[in-house]
């Protein structure tokens, strides 16, 4: 089955589920039930695949819970991080719920008990923090599903049926990122109040792919890949999809301030076969309470950092006088403005970057030319030779905003003092779609090739020495260095005058003919 067909089927099923619960659940809240049910199904499939290990004589779903050996259960939890009994499997619960009458249906409370049990199976083990609260946002007893138990169960069963009917074979063999595609589809259909909150915008898969390629480009190995504002984990997962596992040696790290997307990121890690001992997603405010300081010290920084931090959000900044002494911000000599935390994230990222690594960060274009504290931070970054490139992307790539964002790449091991400026905003770098523009693989490849090159390409890419940037008052806008293509039509004045003269003569001739006709009629 092709990726296009899989994606179409997924969208049809989600829309069908949405129609089943419409009127009871707000469109954006509905995503919690769809994504939660998708996760429940696929984590069960992962678990069954692990237990059966390809043995056709083993049918885990047909086993009795009481036949599971305690020592086996303990070993499985040690390896996988959680345990699911046969009676708790998605397929088991779904088949049983279909045969129950409305009066006897306990689907909502049964699901809640199963989710609690899966989380409880990790208590006291190394995976406890990775599994704790995974299903917190999938509230099967919520009044948003209906005012009565039969209403709740009817809608839950409709979502469960929709997820059950997705026929993609094994999850790992799917041609698409099911979770990412489901999330994007939900955002695109509820864009009025979705995908953005406090400057946050969901990163489309193709943009994530570009950022991951830029961050790891030219690196044979990276110790860890880190995202300080990881959202649903899409940037980390694109790195996993694009590069063989041995390239990212020691795992995936992320921090997320929003509880819902923090849970979603952890779900995503499990769904994509990243075991609990290979990822660490923390919940919290990266700027106020960074979660990986000890890890940074042990690793001497991270070799690959990818991020789409929230644009121009408020942070404590100068309200907290101790921050100017924070080793992340102190070298620049000034704090990012309280109303615009963009450079606070960038300085945090730079601090966590290893001596051999690279960071690729989505940025709001205003930070590259605004004055004040932001100019001083740009000056610090340029003078210290940390900025590798600034890439202008096409507009309207993100759901909920038409902003044409930039990608900033940072490095501490540059071989020269030049900065690469790339204008990838023209129509040769995207495909227009109904609601949004889209980067295709050939566009991504073209941008990465321009990034890797040092050659100038008219109207598209140029490498500029530090001195010229200083002369431009540390303005880092791509448009200041890449000459815009002149799309005006070239007009030959002599030819135009000849055409005008000819047209005037023709008009005079027509007027003479009309006068003659009128004279004849009046005679």
């Amino acid at each position: 089955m092709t990726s296009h067909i899989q994606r179409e089927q997924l969208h049809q099923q989600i829309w069908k589920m949405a129609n089943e619960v419409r009127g009871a659940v707000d469109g954006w809240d509905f995503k919690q039930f769809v994504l939660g049910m998708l996760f429940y199904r696929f984590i069960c499939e992962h678990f069954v695949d692990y237990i059966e290990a390809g043995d056709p004589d083993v049918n885990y779903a047909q086993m009795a819970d009481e036949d599971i050996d305690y020592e086996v259960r303990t070993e499985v939890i040690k390896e996988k991080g959680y345990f699911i009994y046969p009676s708790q499997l998605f397929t088991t619960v779904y088949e049983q719920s279909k045969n129950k009458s409305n009066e006897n249906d306990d689907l909502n409370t049964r699901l809640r008990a199963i989710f609690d049990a899966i989380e409880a199976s990790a208590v006291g083990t190394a995976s406890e923090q990775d599994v704790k609260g995974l299903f917190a946002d999938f509230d099967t007893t919520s009044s948003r599903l209906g005012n009565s138990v039969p209403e709740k169960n009817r809608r839950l069963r409709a979502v469960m049926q929709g997820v059950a009917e997705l026929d993609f074979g094994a999850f790992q063999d799917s041609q698409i990122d099911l979770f990412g595609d489901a999330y994007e589809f939900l955002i695109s259909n509820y864009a009025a109040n979705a995908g953005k909150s406090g400057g946050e915008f969901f990163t489309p898969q193709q943009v994530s792919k570009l950022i991951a390629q830029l961050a790891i480009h030219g690196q044979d190995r990276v110790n860890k890949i880190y995202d300080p504002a990881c959202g649903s984990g899409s940037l980390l997962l694109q790195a996993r999809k694009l590069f063989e596992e041995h390239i990212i040696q020691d795992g995936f790290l992320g921090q997320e301030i929003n509880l819902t997307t923090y849970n979603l990121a952890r779900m995503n890690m499990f769904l994509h076969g990243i075991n609990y001992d290979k990822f660490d997603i923390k919940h919290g405010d990266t700027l106020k309470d960074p979660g990986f300081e000890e890890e940074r010290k042990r690793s001497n920084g991270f070799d690959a950092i990818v991020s789409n931090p929230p644009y121009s959000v408020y942070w404590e900044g100068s309200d907290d006088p101790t921050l100017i002494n924070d080793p992340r911000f102190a070298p620049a000599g000034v704090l990012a403005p309280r109303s615009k935390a963009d450079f606070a994230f960038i300085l945090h990222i730079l601090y966590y970057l290893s001596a051999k690594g690279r960071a690729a960060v989505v940025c709001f274009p205003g930070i590259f030319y605004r004055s004040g504290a932001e100019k001083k931070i740009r000056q610090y970054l340029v003078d210290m030779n940390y900025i590798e490139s600034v890439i202008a992307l096409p507009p309207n790539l993100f759901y909920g905003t038409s902003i044409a964002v930039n990608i900033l790449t940072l490095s501490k091991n540059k071989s020269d003092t030049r900065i690469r400026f790339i204008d990838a905003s023209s129509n040769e770098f995207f495909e227009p779609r109904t609601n949004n523009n889209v980067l295709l693989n050939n566009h991504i490849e073209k941008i990465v090739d321009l990034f890797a090159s040092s050659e100038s390409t008219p109207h598209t890419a140029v490498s500029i020495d530090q001195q010229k940037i200083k002369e431009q008052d540390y303005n880092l806008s791509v448009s200041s260095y890449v000459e815009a293509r002149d799309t005006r039509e070239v007009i030959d004045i002599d030819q135009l005058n000849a055409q005008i003269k000819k047209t005037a003569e023709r008009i005079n001739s027509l007027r003479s003919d009309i006068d003659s006709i009128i004279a004849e009629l009046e005679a």
Side-chain angles (χ1 to χ4, degrees), residues 214 217 420 422 446-455:
L214 290 170
H217 180 78
R420 185 81 167 154
I422 299 171
K446 192 181 298 185
I447 294 170
V448 173
D449 286 345
L450 287 167
F451 167 78
S453 172
S454 60
E455 299 296 320

Side-chain angles (χ1 to χ4, degrees), residues 25 29-38 137-140 142 144-145 156 159 163:
V25 183
D29 291 333
F30 169 65
K31 82 178 188 307
Q32 307 296 71
F33 300 105
V34 175
L35 297 174
M37 198 68 82
L38 277 170
D137 290 308
F138 189 5
D139 185 0
T140 61
S142 170
R144 291 180 298 175
L145 284 167
L156 279 172
V159 175
V163 170

